[in-house]
Amino acid sequence: MKRVLRALFNRETLWALLLCLIVIAVLIFSTDSSPLWIYQGF
Amino acid sequence: MTLINILIFATLILAYRIILRQRGRGWFLLGLSVLAVFWLQPPLPIRGLDFWLPLTTLGLSVLGWTITTPPENRAGRENWITAALLVTLVLLIAATRYLSLTGLVTPSRPPQLLLVAAILLVLALAGGLLARLTRPAAAGLTAFLVILILVFLALKIPQLAEQLSAGFRSWAGQDVARASAIDIRWLGFSYVVFRLMATLRDRQTGRLPGMSLRDYLTYLIFFPALTAGPIDRPERFLKDLQGDRPPGAAEYLTGGRRLVVGLFKKFVVADALALLALSGANADQIQSPLWLWLAVIAYAGLIYFDFSGYTDIAIGLARWLGIALPENFNHPYLKPNLTQFWNNWHMTLTQWFRAYFFNPLTRALRGGKHPLGAVGVIFITQVSTFLMIGLWHGGTLNFILWGLWHGLGLFIQNRYSDWAKPRLAALDAHPRVRRLTTVAGTVLTFFFVALGWVWFALPTTGQALQVITRLFGG
């Protein structure tokens, strides 16, 4: 299990994950209009 | 935090891990946390305040470190570098006023660079003098605690906050008549101050571990937990911070899973529930008791998914940085009684109150020349602790009533369980009946908590009372 995980999360996958996050960020950049978090008001 | 904030944090953490792996982690965490203090602050109508409040957060944090650190540990290369980094970052943030008219890192355009530099110089001189001339004395710690509590109250009690806003407005040359309590929304203040108070109390009782300025500041303003907790304990956080093992594949997986679960809880479940949850706006419009109950239950779901989603995100991001933040929720709505509910809801806040308020108060009431009886002690400690927890949320009558609701509820449940324990023990021979009582207890606890949220969700006591009456057909 540990070996599979290590193979899964190598530097290359982290790069891929990073790229995904950037793409998602670009997609939602203009539609980010969620209500405020309740507990950030305290 | 918005979705964009979260994604940018996740991106920066991954980029750091790919490029630097573990090198300079302490500096990376501090630098990003300082930027986050300014970046996450919401815009305020009073000119410059959304820059000065984050700067005050940093100032209070440095003051907290100076007061709690013995003089022999205040010097040292790393502390000087930290101080220099802080000043440089603040100046750089202020200098963004020349790059944008609306603010790049700050919510609005930062104030004049020269003014910021002059204030930093004064703060640095005052801090330097304090560090040179003082020792961590009991009186200093207590005085700082009292000041923090007073500032806390001034911000939490709407009437005082409005006065404060009027003061700031006249200072900034703005219309005083438009002053309002919501002018001073100081991001993360409740959480930062509670961590700060924990270090002051731990210093007084001799439990505070030795911390460098960098580690102390990172503890107070650690960016995933900056805006809504969890409120970690200093010694636990420090252990993770000083660990130098980079997270392995398993941590990326668990952290990533928490992040995804948190995003789903907030942006899918909570934001959908927000459409039908009880609010000041819809409370008067809902006619039938059945729909009103639905709105109350939706609010109970909303507040859980919103807050526990935030905690999941904070824990997930921190896990990628090698820091295991404490849990804040453990299926609270599935607990069979109120005591267990509170042991599993906003756990880090209740643990804070237990350690720094409830336990010392219990010791004080039970000891001394005239110790109180056990029942009296339970009543006073539970009700006063929950009044304090109510006040932490805000100094309005509704939050006080919400605290009282839970304090009295806990006391009644405590007395009942004392009475019922021997009687319920007889049920152990009948597991089905036993399970039935547990289910009944869970349902009762949920509805008690859900009714309590009415005080919490609505702005005025009159409206809350009206909703509670209408829930029961009145």
Side-chain angles (χ1 to χ4, degrees):
Chain A
M1 181 65 184
K2 224 174 183 180
R3 209 177 328 141
V4 177
L5 278 179
R6 206 173 297 146
L8 209 64
F9 284 93
N10 51 29
R11 198 174 263 224
E12 207 173 307
T13 330
L14 288 183
W15 271 113
L17 201 59
L18 182 64
L19 193 67
C20 277
L21 283 177
I22 294 170
V23 171
I24 296 171
V26 170
L27 277 175
I28 61 173
F29 207 88
S30 52
T31 53
D32 182 22
S33 58
S34 176
L36 263 182
W37 303 77
I38 295 173
Y39 262 76
Q40 285 188 5
F42 300 121
Chain B
M1 287 202 284
T2 63
L3 206 48
I4 289 292
N5 294 143
I6 296 163
L7 283 165
I8 290 179
F9 281 140
T11 310
L12 288 174
I13 295 169
L14 284 176
Y16 161 73
R17 283 297 183 205
I18 293 167
I19 299 163
L20 293 171
R21 285 192 185 246
Q22 178 79 354
R23 275 193 298 273
R25 187 179 65 138
W27 299 111
F28 172 76
L29 290 183
L30 176 67
L32 198 50
S33 298
V34 169
L35 287 178
V37 170
F38 288 90
W39 187 45
L40 297 177
Q41 167 68 42
L44 300 176
I46 300 172
R47 205 171 301 125
L49 199 62
D50 44 27
F51 180 89
W52 298 122
L53 288 183
L55 185 63
T56 311
T57 303
L58 297 181
L60 286 175
S61 307
V62 175
L63 186 61
W65 176 78
T66 314
I67 284 183
T68 54
T69 307
E72 58 274 20
N73 297 343
R74 285 178 188 160
R77 195 160 154 259
E78 194 198 292
N79 294 335
W80 283 112
I81 297 175
T82 308
L85 179 74
L86 266 187
V87 171
T88 312
L89 278 174
V90 173
L91 284 176
L92 280 176
I93 292 168
T96 57
R97 67 177 271 112
Y98 300 116
L99 299 175
S100 158
L101 288 176
T102 50
L104 279 181
V105 185
T106 45
S108 62
R109 198 176 183 209
Q112 294 286 349
L113 189 59
L114 260 180
L115 179 65
V116 177
I119 285 178
L120 281 178
L121 188 70
V122 172
L123 285 178
L125 283 175
L129 276 177
L130 207 67
R132 272 286 160 93
L133 302 176
T134 60
R135 298 191 61 79
L141 292 166
T142 311
F144 193 37
L145 265 174
V146 171
I147 290 171
L148 285 178
I149 293 170
L150 288 178
V151 175
F152 199 82
L153 287 176
L155 291 170
K156 293 283 173 180
I157 298 171
Q159 292 82 349
L160 293 179
E162 198 179 315
Q163 291 289 319
L164 207 59
S165 159
F168 284 137
R169 277 174 178 273
S170 78
W171 205 9
Q174 287 173 263
D175 186 4
V176 177
R178 301 183 69 176
S180 141
I182 53 165
D183 284 351
I184 316 174
R185 278 175 302 147
W186 190 343
L187 187 96
F189 182 76
S190 305
Y191 300 91
V192 173
V193 161
F194 264 47
R195 291 187 199 110
L196 196 51
M197 281 162 53
T199 65
L200 296 174
R201 281 296 299 154
D202 281 0
R203 176 78 235 176
Q204 281 180 332
T205 50
R207 276 180 307 182
L208 187 71
M211 287 168 111
S212 67
L213 178 58
R214 187 186 73 185
D215 292 351
Y216 185 90
L217 287 177
T218 310
Y219 164 67
L220 290 186
I221 58 167
F222 181 52
F223 69 90
L226 172 69
T227 54
I231 305 169
D232 211 346
R233 298 289 295 260
E235 68 279 5
R236 207 219 57 76
F237 186 84
L238 196 65
K239 192 168 73 51
D240 282 359
L241 193 60
Q242 290 174 343
D244 52 4
R245 198 177 60 84
E251 273 106 332
Y252 281 115
L253 195 66
T254 48
R257 202 181 287 148
R258 288 304 286 267
L259 191 62
V260 171
V261 167
L263 288 171
F264 184 79
K265 278 183 179 173
K266 161 66 182 169
F267 294 101
V268 180
V269 184
D271 285 359
L273 284 172
L275 299 172
L276 47 142
L278 183 73
S279 71
N282 67 17
D284 297 332
Q285 295 164 1
I286 303 174
Q287 299 291 323
S288 88
L290 195 69
W291 282 104
L292 207 52
W293 272 110
L294 198 73
V296 171
I297 291 169
Y299 187 85
L302 163 67
I303 195 162
Y304 170 72
F305 285 108
D306 186 278
F307 193 17
S308 78
Y310 180 91
T311 309
D312 287 332
I313 290 166
I315 289 176
L317 288 177
R319 196 62 60 84
W320 283 358
L321 291 161
I323 287 174
L325 286 178
E327 293 292 338
N328 239 355
F329 295 91
N330 177 25
H331 306 104
Y333 286 146
L334 300 179
K335 303 299 172 204
N337 60 54
L338 200 58
T339 306
Q340 286 202 38
F341 170 82
W342 275 109
N343 284 338
N344 295 283
W345 176 280
H346 204 176
M347 285 143 79
T348 57
L349 183 75
T350 45
Q351 281 156 8
W352 190 99
F353 272 99
R354 194 173 298 143
Y356 300 109
F357 185 79
F358 182 87
N359 289 345
L361 186 64
T362 307
R363 276 196 296 274
L365 292 175
R366 301 223 64 170
K369 272 187 183 164
H370 309 286
L372 276 177
V375 178
V377 171
I378 292 170
F379 179 80
I380 293 174
T381 49
Q382 275 182 338
V383 172
S384 60
T385 301
F386 273 84
L387 277 177
M388 289 291 154
I389 290 180
L391 276 175
W392 178 85
H393 288 86
T396 64
L397 186 57
N398 269 23
F399 283 123
I400 292 171
L401 287 171
W402 174 76
L404 207 59
W405 177 269
H406 280 283
L408 290 174
L410 277 168
F411 176 71
I412 292 166
Q413 191 252 311
N414 177 283
R415 292 294 82 213
Y416 167 77
S417 72
D418 248 29
W419 173 85
K421 211 174 256 169
R423 289 163 180 84
L424 287 175
L427 291 179
D428 285 345
H430 310 279
R432 272 198 193 154
V433 183
R434 179 92 218 167
R435 208 172 304 144
L436 210 66
T437 56
T438 310
V439 171
T442 309
V443 172
L444 191 69
T445 306
F446 174 78
F447 277 96
F448 182 84
V449 173
L451 264 181
W453 290 132
V454 174
W455 302 111
F456 198 94
L458 298 176
T460 64
T461 310
Q463 203 179 20
L465 269 175
Q466 206 190 33
V467 165
I468 290 174
T469 321
R470 276 169 44 215
L471 279 170
F472 293 98

